[in-house]
Structure formats: structure tokens, C-alpha cells
Amino acid sequence: MTDHHTYGTSTHTAGELVRLVSGRLGLVFTERDSDYRGAYRLASFPNGRIEIQPYPIPGDDDGDDLHAPEHPAARCCCSPPHRPRTSLRTRLDSIEGLTHLNHETA
């Protein structure tokens, strides 16, 4: 069973969120580029990784799509690792303007 948590913000840009999450968690993010997702930031650590995905992402019809269409006001999303430790979730929850959007179990 896999858990996936998504956080979003309507107050911070992706760059600001990278700086805030880096400061809280002591992680270093690198920029990645994907034909499917566009530019995003990734930080890896022994128990997983955190991705910060700015909106919008490239769509199939030369238009842009939202990463989480059920939350259109979010300017970017942050996805912590599967089964995030309580301390990690507590530190993410302490970032002003960052909201837990959903939790999926697959």
C-alpha cells in the first residue's frame, strides 16, 4: 500500500516554496525538466523525495493543465514522500500558506 500526500499554496511561487521547504527540512532541491510535467524541483533523501511542481503543467493540446485540477487556486504543489514521518508532516504544516490538499492510498 502506498500513501501520497499533496500540499498546495496560493500565496507562494514555486521558487519561494523551494526556499521555505529547504529551510524547514534542510534539503537541497535541483531543477528537473520533463516533457510531461514541465520544470519542477526535486529533493531526495534516504527515506524518499519531495517534489515541488509549479502550475501549470504542459497539456496535450498545446494548452496547459493543472497538476491538481480539483484545487485550481493553488499556484504550485508540494508532494512529500510516501508515508511521510510525522515530524516531516509537522514541519510542512508549519509553513504559512502551505495547505494539505489531499491524501491518497493506492
Side-chain angles (χ1 to χ4, degrees), residues 7-9 13-14 17-18 29 32 34 36-42 50-58 65-68 74-79:
Y7 289 78
T9 181
T13 66
L17 190 55
V18 165
F29 283 85
R32 302 291 177 103
S34 163
Y36 173 70
R37 295 176 52 193
Y40 66 98
R41 276 51 167 236
L42 175 69
I50 293 181
E51 299 174 3
I52 295 180
Q53 175 72 56
Y55 274 179
I57 59 176
D65 293 332
L66 296 176
H67 180 69
R75 292 170 61 186
C76 56
C77 284
C78 171
S79 299

Side-chain angles (χ1 to χ4, degrees), residues 13-103:
T13 66
E16 291 167 343
L17 190 55
V18 165
R19 183 181 52 78
L20 290 166
V21 173
S22 293
R24 294 289 162 97
L25 302 179
L27 298 174
V28 175
F29 283 85
T30 58
E31 187 166 330
R32 302 291 177 103
D33 194 36
S34 163
D35 289 337
Y36 173 70
R37 295 176 52 193
Y40 66 98
R41 276 51 167 236
L42 175 69
S44 297
F45 52 96
N47 295 333
R49 63 192 204 170
I50 293 181
E51 299 174 3
I52 295 180
Q53 175 72 56
Y55 274 179
I57 59 176
D60 291 335
D61 56 0
D62 292 328
D64 292 329
D65 293 332
L66 296 176
H67 180 69
E70 64 278 12
H71 301 285
R75 292 170 61 186
C76 56
C77 284
C78 171
S79 299
H82 305 303
R83 299 179 194 249
R85 299 182 313 269
T86 301
S87 62
L88 176 67
R89 288 179 44 199
T90 299
R91 287 185 277 172
L92 288 173
D93 289 340
S94 72
I95 296 173
E96 188 173 333
L98 188 62
T99 305
H100 187 259
L101 299 177
N102 70 352
H103 170 220

Side-chain angles (χ1 to χ4, degrees), residues 1-15:
M1 188 176 304
T2 302
D3 286 335
H4 181 79
H5 294 266
T6 301
Y7 289 78
T9 181
S10 60
T11 57
H12 303 295
T13 66

